[in-house]
Amino acid sequence: MRHKLVVWGWVVPAAAAWVALASAPAWGGPEITLRLGGESGELAPALQIVLLLTVLSLAPALILMLTSFTRIVVVLSLVRQAMGTHQLPPGQILIGLALFLTVFVMTPVWTEVHERALAPYLEHRITQKEALQRALVPIRGFMLRQTRQKDILLFLRLAQKPRPHMPEEIPISVLIPAFMISELKTAFQIGFILFIPFLILDLVVSSLLLSMGMLMLPPVMISLPLKLMLFVLVDGWNLLVGSLVRSFA
C-alpha cells in the first residue's frame, strides 16, 4: 500500500494540474466536455489510457512546477558552488537527494490527496472529474503557503484578471508561475546566506597569502580544505537539510 501511495502521489497531482490547466478559462480556448463512456460522464477506456500516458509524459515537468523540488535543488547547487567543489558531490547525487527530500516534504500533501481523491475514486464513490478536483485542493494549499502575494498579484496583472476575494479563486494558470518564482527567490535568499561564511573564508585566505607575498599560490588550494573542514565540523549536511525541510513548514 505504501508503494502504491508513493506512485499515485506523483501521478494524481500531475493529473489534477493537467486537467486544471486544460480546462481553465484563462487560456482563452473553448471549454470542451467529452462524454464517451456512458451517462455517468466517465471516459472510455481508450481515452483513459491516452490521458494516463499524457500525464506520465508531463509528470516530470509538473513535478518540478508543483512541488518543493525547485527550492531544494537550487539550494544544494548553490552550496556546492560556495564550497568551490564544482563536481563534488556529483550532479546525480544532488538530484537524487533533492528528489528524496521532495518526497519527504510532499508526503503529507500526497497522503491527503490519497485520502480525499484517490481512495474514494478507486472505491467508485466519486467520478474522475471530482477526484481530480479534490486532488487539486491540497496541492493548491501547499503552493499558496509558499507563494508570495506580490508574485500572485504580478501574474494577475499580466493576465489582466481582477484581484480575487478568496485564495481559492486564484486561477491555477496564475498560481503555478507565481509559486515557481517565489521558490526561486527563497532558494536564492537561502543560498546567499550560505555563501557568506565561505566567502569570508576565501577573503581571509587571499589576504593572508597576499600579505605573505605568496602571489603564485592559488588561494583555492588553501581555502578549499579549510571550507571542507568547516562544513564537516559544523555538521553542514545535517544543518542544511534540516533548515531546508523546516523552511516549508
Coordinates of all heavy atoms in Angstrom, one line a residue, residues 183-225:
E183 N 9.6 30.3 -5.2 CA 10.5 29.3 -4.8 C 11.9 29.7 -5.2 O 12.9 29.5 -4.4 CB 10.1 28.0 -5.4 CG 8.9 27.3 -4.8 CD 9.1 26.9 -3.4 OE1 9.8 25.8 -3.2 OE2 8.8 27.6 -2.5
L184 N 12.1 30.3 -6.4 CA 13.4 30.7 -6.8 C 14.0 31.8 -6.0 O 15.1 31.8 -5.6 CB 13.4 31.1 -8.3 CG 13.2 30.0 -9.3 CD1 13.0 30.6 -10.7 CD2 14.4 29.1 -9.3
K185 N 13.1 32.8 -5.6 CA 13.6 33.8 -4.7 C 14.0 33.3 -3.4 O 15.1 33.7 -2.8 CB 12.6 34.9 -4.6 CG 13.0 36.0 -3.7 CD 12.0 37.2 -3.6 CE 12.6 38.3 -2.6 NZ 11.7 39.4 -2.5
T186 N 13.2 32.4 -2.8 CA 13.5 31.8 -1.5 C 14.8 31.0 -1.6 O 15.6 31.1 -0.6 CB 12.4 30.9 -1.0 OG1 11.2 31.7 -1.0 CG2 12.6 30.4 0.4
A187 N 15.0 30.3 -2.6 CA 16.2 29.5 -2.8 C 17.4 30.4 -2.9 O 18.5 30.1 -2.3 CB 16.1 28.6 -4.0
F188 N 17.3 31.5 -3.6 CA 18.5 32.4 -3.7 C 18.8 33.1 -2.4 O 19.9 33.4 -2.1 CB 18.3 33.4 -4.9 CG 18.6 32.9 -6.2 CD1 17.8 32.1 -6.9 CD2 19.9 33.1 -6.7 CE1 18.1 31.6 -8.2 CE2 20.3 32.6 -8.0 CZ 19.4 31.8 -8.7
Q189 N 17.7 33.4 -1.6 CA 17.9 34.0 -0.3 C 18.7 33.1 0.6 O 19.6 33.5 1.3 CB 16.6 34.4 0.3 CG 15.9 35.6 -0.4 CD 14.5 35.9 0.2 OE1 13.9 35.0 0.7 NE2 14.1 37.1 0.0
I190 N 18.3 31.8 0.6 CA 19.0 30.8 1.4 C 20.4 30.6 0.9 O 21.4 30.5 1.7 CB 18.2 29.5 1.4 CG1 16.8 29.6 2.0 CG2 19.0 28.4 2.1 CD1 15.9 28.4 1.9
G191 N 20.6 30.6 -0.4 CA 21.9 30.4 -1.0 C 22.8 31.6 -0.6 O 24.0 31.4 -0.4
F192 N 22.3 32.8 -0.6 CA 23.1 34.0 -0.3 C 23.6 33.9 1.2 O 24.8 34.2 1.5 CB 22.3 35.2 -0.4 CG 23.0 36.5 0.1 CD1 24.0 37.1 -0.7 CD2 22.6 37.1 1.3 CE1 24.6 38.2 -0.2 CE2 23.2 38.2 1.7 CZ 24.2 38.8 1.0
I193 N 22.7 33.5 2.1 CA 23.2 33.3 3.5 C 24.2 32.2 3.6 O 25.2 32.4 4.4 CB 21.9 33.0 4.4 CG1 20.9 34.2 4.3 CG2 22.4 32.7 5.8 CD1 19.7 33.9 5.1
L194 N 24.1 31.1 2.8 CA 25.1 30.1 2.9 C 26.4 30.5 2.3 O 27.5 30.0 2.7 CB 24.5 28.8 2.2 CG 23.3 28.2 2.9 CD1 22.8 27.1 2.0 CD2 23.7 27.6 4.2
F195 N 26.4 31.4 1.4 CA 27.6 31.8 0.7 C 28.5 32.7 1.6 O 29.7 32.7 1.5 CB 27.3 32.7 -0.5 CG 27.5 32.0 -1.8 CD1 26.6 31.3 -2.5 CD2 28.8 32.0 -2.4 CE1 26.8 30.6 -3.6 CE2 29.0 31.4 -3.6 CZ 28.0 30.7 -4.2
I196 N 27.9 33.4 2.6 CA 28.6 34.4 3.4 C 29.8 33.8 4.1 O 31.0 34.3 4.0 CB 27.7 35.1 4.4 CG1 26.7 35.9 3.6 CG2 28.5 35.9 5.4 CD1 25.7 36.7 4.4
P197 N 29.7 32.7 4.9 CA 30.9 32.1 5.6 C 32.0 31.7 4.7 O 33.2 31.9 5.0 CB 30.3 31.0 6.5 CG 29.0 30.6 5.9 CD 28.5 31.9 5.3
F198 N 31.6 31.0 3.6 CA 32.6 30.6 2.6 C 33.3 31.8 2.0 O 34.5 31.7 1.7 CB 32.0 29.7 1.6 CG 31.4 28.4 2.2 CD1 30.0 28.2 2.2 CD2 32.2 27.4 2.7 CE1 29.4 27.1 2.7 CE2 31.6 26.3 3.2 CZ 30.2 26.1 3.2
L199 N 32.5 32.8 1.7 CA 33.2 34.0 1.1 C 34.1 34.7 2.0 O 35.2 35.1 1.6 CB 32.1 35.0 0.7 CG 32.5 36.3 0.0 CD1 33.3 36.0 -1.3 CD2 31.3 37.2 -0.3
I200 N 33.7 34.7 3.3 CA 34.6 35.3 4.3 C 35.9 34.5 4.4 O 37.0 35.1 4.5 CB 33.9 35.4 5.7 CG1 32.8 36.4 5.6 CG2 34.9 35.8 6.8 CD1 32.0 36.5 6.8
L201 N 35.8 33.2 4.4 CA 37.0 32.4 4.5 C 37.9 32.6 3.3 O 39.1 32.6 3.4 CB 36.6 30.9 4.6 CG 37.7 29.9 4.9 CD1 38.4 30.2 6.2 CD2 37.1 28.5 5.0
D202 N 37.3 32.7 2.1 CA 38.1 33.0 0.9 C 38.9 34.3 1.0 O 40.0 34.4 0.6 CB 37.2 33.0 -0.4 CG 36.8 31.6 -0.8 OD1 37.6 30.6 -0.6 OD2 35.8 31.4 -1.4
L203 N 38.2 35.3 1.5 CA 38.8 36.6 1.6 C 40.0 36.6 2.6 O 41.0 37.2 2.4 CB 37.8 37.7 2.0 CG 36.7 38.0 1.0 CD1 35.7 39.0 1.6 CD2 37.3 38.6 -0.2
V204 N 39.8 35.9 3.7 CA 40.8 35.8 4.7 C 42.0 35.1 4.2 O 43.2 35.5 4.4 CB 40.3 35.1 6.0 CG1 41.4 34.7 7.0 CG2 39.2 35.9 6.7
V205 N 41.8 34.0 3.5 CA 42.9 33.2 2.9 C 43.7 34.0 1.9 O 44.9 34.1 1.8 CB 42.4 31.9 2.3 CG1 43.5 31.2 1.5 CG2 41.9 31.0 3.4
S206 N 42.9 34.7 1.0 CA 43.5 35.6 0.0 C 44.4 36.7 0.6 O 45.5 37.0 0.1 CB 42.5 36.1 -0.9 OG 41.8 35.1 -1.6
S207 N 43.8 37.3 1.7 CA 44.6 38.4 2.3 C 45.9 37.9 3.0 O 46.9 38.5 2.9 CB 43.7 39.1 3.4 OG 42.5 39.6 2.8
L208 N 45.8 36.7 3.6 CA 47.0 36.1 4.2 C 48.0 35.8 3.2 O 49.2 36.1 3.4 CB 46.6 34.9 5.0 CG 45.8 35.1 6.3 CD1 45.4 33.8 6.9 CD2 46.6 36.0 7.3
L209 N 47.6 35.2 2.1 CA 48.6 34.8 1.1 C 49.2 36.1 0.5 O 50.4 36.1 0.2 CB 47.9 34.0 0.0 CG 47.5 32.6 0.4 CD1 46.8 31.9 -0.8 CD2 48.7 31.8 0.9
L210 N 48.4 37.1 0.3 CA 48.9 38.4 -0.3 C 49.9 39.1 0.7 O 50.9 39.6 0.2 CB 47.8 39.3 -0.6 CG 48.1 40.7 -1.3 CD1 48.8 40.4 -2.6 CD2 46.9 41.5 -1.4
S211 N 49.6 39.0 2.0 CA 50.5 39.7 2.9 C 51.8 38.9 3.1 O 52.8 39.5 3.4 CB 49.8 39.7 4.3 OG 49.5 38.5 4.8
M212 N 51.8 37.6 2.8 CA 53.0 36.8 2.9 C 53.8 36.8 1.6 O 54.8 36.1 1.5 CB 52.6 35.3 3.3 CG 52.0 35.2 4.7 SD 51.3 33.5 5.0 CE 52.8 32.5 4.9
G213 N 53.2 37.4 0.6 CA 54.0 37.5 -0.7 C 53.8 36.3 -1.5 O 54.6 36.1 -2.5
M214 N 52.9 35.4 -1.2 CA 52.8 34.1 -2.0 C 51.7 34.4 -3.1 O 50.6 33.8 -3.1 CB 52.3 33.0 -1.0 CG 53.3 32.8 0.2 SD 52.8 31.6 1.3 CE 52.8 30.1 0.4
L215 N 52.1 35.2 -4.1 CA 51.2 35.6 -5.1 C 51.0 34.4 -6.1 O 49.9 34.4 -6.8 CB 51.8 36.8 -5.8 CG 52.0 38.0 -5.0 CD1 52.6 39.2 -5.8 CD2 50.7 38.5 -4.2
M216 N 51.9 33.5 -6.3 CA 51.8 32.5 -7.3 C 51.0 31.3 -6.7 O 50.6 30.4 -7.5 CB 53.2 32.0 -7.7 CG 54.0 33.1 -8.3 SD 53.3 33.9 -9.7 CE 53.2 32.5 -10.9
L217 N 50.7 31.3 -5.5 CA 49.9 30.1 -4.9 C 48.4 30.4 -5.0 O 47.9 31.4 -4.5 CB 50.3 29.9 -3.4 CG 49.5 28.8 -2.7 CD1 49.9 27.4 -3.4 CD2 49.9 28.8 -1.2
P218 N 47.7 29.6 -5.7 CA 46.2 29.9 -5.9 C 45.5 29.8 -4.5 O 45.7 28.8 -3.8 CB 45.7 28.7 -6.8 CG 46.9 28.3 -7.5 CD 48.1 28.5 -6.5
P219 N 44.7 30.8 -4.1 CA 44.1 30.7 -2.8 C 43.1 29.5 -2.6 O 42.9 29.1 -1.5 CB 43.3 32.1 -2.8 CG 44.0 32.9 -3.8 CD 44.5 32.0 -4.8
V220 N 42.6 29.0 -3.7 CA 41.7 27.9 -3.6 C 42.3 26.7 -3.1 O 41.7 25.8 -2.4 CB 41.0 27.6 -5.0 CG1 42.0 27.1 -6.0 CG2 39.8 26.7 -4.8
M221 N 43.6 26.5 -3.3 CA 44.3 25.3 -2.8 C 44.4 25.3 -1.2 O 44.5 24.3 -0.6 CB 45.8 25.3 -3.3 CG 45.9 25.1 -4.8 SD 47.6 24.9 -5.4 CE 48.1 23.4 -4.5
I222 N 44.3 26.5 -0.6 CA 44.3 26.6 0.8 C 42.9 26.7 1.4 O 42.6 26.1 2.4 CB 45.1 27.8 1.3 CG1 46.5 27.8 0.7 CG2 45.2 27.9 2.8 CD1 47.3 26.6 1.1
S223 N 42.0 27.5 0.7 CA 40.7 27.7 1.2 C 39.8 26.5 1.1 O 38.9 26.3 1.9 CB 40.1 28.9 0.5 OG 39.9 28.6 -0.9
L224 N 40.0 25.7 0.0 CA 39.1 24.5 -0.2 C 39.2 23.5 1.0 O 38.1 23.1 1.5 CB 39.4 23.9 -1.5 CG 38.5 22.6 -1.9 CD1 37.0 23.0 -1.8 CD2 38.9 22.0 -3.2
P225 N 40.4 23.1 1.4 CA 40.4 22.2 2.5 C 39.8 22.8 3.8 O 39.2 22.1 4.6 CB 41.9 21.9 2.7 CG 42.5 22.1 1.4 CD 41.7 23.3 0.8

